[in-house]
Amino acid sequence: MQQTMEHSTAKHYSEGDQSTQRLRDKKLGDLMVNKRRLVEVPYTASLAHTMNTLVANKVLAVPVAAPPGQWIGAGGSMIMEADKHTGTVRKHYIGLATMLDLLAHIAGNEDQLMDEGVHDGFDLDQKMSVPVSSIIGHCLEGLSLWTLNPNTSILDCMEVFSKGIHRALVPVDSHMDNVSGVELVESASSYRMLTQMDVLRFVKEHGTSGSELDNIISSTVSDLGAVTERVFAITDRTKVIDAIKCMRIALLNAVPIVRSSDTDNEEDHKQLVNGRGRQAIGTFSATDLRGCHFATLQTWLPMSALDYTETVLANPLLAAFNNAAGSPTTRELVACRADSSLGEVIDKVVSKHVHRLWVVDQQGLLKGLISLTDIIRVLRLAILSEQNA
């Protein structure tokens, strides 16, 4: 069965467009052909408006735009939108607002978020009325605002994305045509957002003919070094609000849910636990939370994360939303084995639209995880290795 699956996956990749160039000769412009217009919010937008923008557009992050000359961009960046004909600067992108930023802000006041105060002393409307500019940088990813020139090769883009950068702006008509690679300074009349998932979807859909990818995608993720063995988790007793706090502190967008330990009565369900070797029963992620408009937040903050995944995600309206977004519904565990092929793993993250896979053994015990960053890193290194050979 394993051989059949790997053969089928390899066949899928090798039957890509026969006329395409080799993957390493591709440019980012090839990926951006059908990308939609950039979804953004103004710096004055409230957090409520920002969250509803994320939900309506089924995205996890949006750039924040401000008038030029009034702000220092995230990380010192100077990414401008300018008139195509006159060059007059119209706006300055000052950072990213992510779903995790918003959730961390909601969960950030320890005093108001004691169990008994979540309902009575917690003014959600007030928290969500502040401008989005006030939370940029609360989570590290909000400061990661980069551009990638359309002339950048796919492999150079992979190098950037293999270092933990999840997304970048790509100018439609860059004023810096002779530049390739990642930049903090850019001026263009419009931009598109490129993500790690876009790159892997392109690899999956445009697998090149011949042997360029065949040997790589048929190799196991263990042999390629894609598995991160250290995996943090929450328990089935961890509340949503505590899970959000843990994710913010550890800079995690998702955590597996494991069964509570029957033998350890001292286990702190408000903290992350070592998930390795424990039974994984679900996933709690920022992606799951984007289906909830802010008006519903107050009802699920005190719930356990497990109850949220079993009841809230099972709601027909939210299930329809997640199906449309390509995200799993209920507490489906999207996982793989250490001996799974890279091709299988890419197929699974793209088709399930998840940003990591939990690595489990035959008994369903956690052995590690594979993130999109891990996949892109080993894929790039393998391509370069074959090229040099």
Side-chain angles (χ1 to χ4, degrees):
M1 182 68 180
Q2 180 79 6
Q3 281 186 326
T4 302
M5 174 71 78
E6 290 183 1
H7 174 74
S8 174
T9 303
K11 186 171 183 289
H12 165 81
Y13 279 81
S14 64
E15 287 181 346
D17 183 359
Q18 300 292 318
S19 65
T20 59
Q21 298 167 287
R22 293 163 68 84
L23 183 65
R24 62 173 175 263
D25 298 325
K26 290 284 190 178
K27 304 293 184 183
L28 284 194
D30 298 318
L31 274 75
M32 308 307 293
V33 175
N34 296 316
K35 288 291 289 182
R36 66 179 176 182
R37 293 185 61 182
L38 185 66
V39 179
E40 62 183 69
V41 293
Y43 75 111
T44 54
S46 68
L47 296 191
H49 173 80
T50 303
M51 175 168 273
N52 288 337
T53 299
L54 292 169
V55 171
N57 291 281
K58 303 181 179 67
V59 294
L60 287 176
V62 288
V64 179
Q70 297 184 17
W71 293 79
I72 297 174
S77 61
M78 292 288 289
I79 301 174
M80 308 291 187
E81 180 184 291
D83 185 273
K84 186 173 184 178
H85 301 292
T86 67
T88 303
V89 176
R90 294 185 296 230
K91 63 181 72 168
H92 178 193
Y93 292 107
I94 61 174
L96 286 172
T98 71
M99 182 63 82
L100 191 57
D101 284 323
L102 272 66
L103 296 172
H105 173 78
I106 293 167
N109 191 324
E110 190 76 37
D111 294 333
Q112 285 187 327
L113 295 174
M114 299 299 287
D115 294 351
E116 64 272 17
V118 169
H119 296 290
D120 300 328
F122 181 57
D123 190 342
L124 185 61
D125 286 337
Q126 182 178 353
K127 266 187 171 283
M128 298 298 285
S129 66
V130 303
V132 65
S133 57
S134 67
I135 67 164
I136 293 176
H138 285 191
C139 294
L140 186 61
E141 190 170 1
L143 297 176
S144 300
L145 187 61
W146 302 86
T147 68
L148 284 167
N149 192 277
N151 294 321
T152 304
S153 71
I154 298 293
L155 281 183
D156 285 344
C157 172
M158 284 182 173
E159 181 180 13
V160 174
F161 282 173
S162 70
K163 295 177 179 177
I165 295 176
H166 299 158
R167 53 184 62 81
L169 294 174
V170 178
V172 172
D173 51 357
S174 174
H175 295 172
M176 305 170 70
D177 290 335
N178 295 323
V179 176
S180 65
V182 64
E183 293 290 333
L184 284 171
V185 178
E186 180 60 87
S187 177
S189 63
S190 62
Y191 295 85
R192 301 290 184 266
M193 184 70 81
L194 178 73
T195 67
Q196 290 178 320
M197 184 65 77
D198 291 327
V199 172
L200 291 179
R201 186 180 294 112
F202 185 84
V203 170
K204 180 178 183 293
E205 294 176 353
H206 299 271
T208 55
S209 59
S211 62
E212 185 189 20
L213 287 182
D214 292 354
N215 292 335
I216 299 171
I217 59 96
S218 61
S219 299
T220 70
V221 288
S222 178
D223 288 343
L224 290 169
V227 180
T228 299
E229 294 186 352
R230 191 177 189 184
V231 54
F232 293 106
I234 59 173
T235 76
D236 50 15
R237 300 181 192 176
T238 303
K239 293 183 178 180
V240 168
I241 197 158
D242 293 319
I244 293 170
K245 291 178 187 176
C246 291
M247 290 161 64
R248 175 195 179 187
I249 293 170
L251 301 177
L252 299 173
N253 282 299
V255 285
I257 304 172
V258 299
R259 294 198 184 281
S260 302
S261 173
D262 295 328
T263 58
D264 187 0
N265 293 326
E266 300 299 319
E267 189 166 59
D268 188 351
H269 304 292
K270 293 185 177 182
Q271 303 294 328
L272 293 173
V273 299
N274 180 6
R276 187 170 167 81
R278 298 183 65 166
Q279 186 77 39
I281 57 176
T283 299
F284 182 76
S285 76
T287 306
D288 299 333
L289 299 167
R290 69 182 173 185
C292 292
H293 286 267
F294 88 94
T296 67
L297 295 180
Q298 200 152 346
T299 61
W300 53 253
L301 282 172
M303 296 173 62
S304 78
L306 182 63
D307 285 344
Y308 174 83
T309 61
E310 289 185 327
T311 59
V312 177
L313 283 179
N315 179 289
L317 293 177
L318 191 51
F321 175 91
N322 280 312
N323 278 327
S327 301
T329 57
T330 69
R331 61 181 175 110
E332 174 187 357
L333 186 72
V334 186
C336 68
R337 300 261 296 276
D339 60 357
S340 297
S341 71
L342 182 63
E344 291 175 66
V345 166
I346 293 175
D347 280 341
K348 188 166 285 190
V349 296
V350 172
S351 62
K352 296 292 186 180
H353 202 79
V354 295
H355 295 80
R356 91 291 311 156
L357 293 182
W358 310 121
V359 181
V360 299
D361 62 15
Q362 291 180 330
Q363 287 74 43
L365 302 180
L366 279 169
K367 293 301 179 184
L369 66 92
I370 302 173
S371 67
L372 300 191
T373 298
D374 294 324
I375 297 171
I376 291 172
R377 171 178 54 81
V378 299
L379 180 60
R380 173 181 172 272
L381 290 176
I383 293 173
L384 290 175
S385 178
E386 289 211 348
Q387 175 182 327
N388 293 334

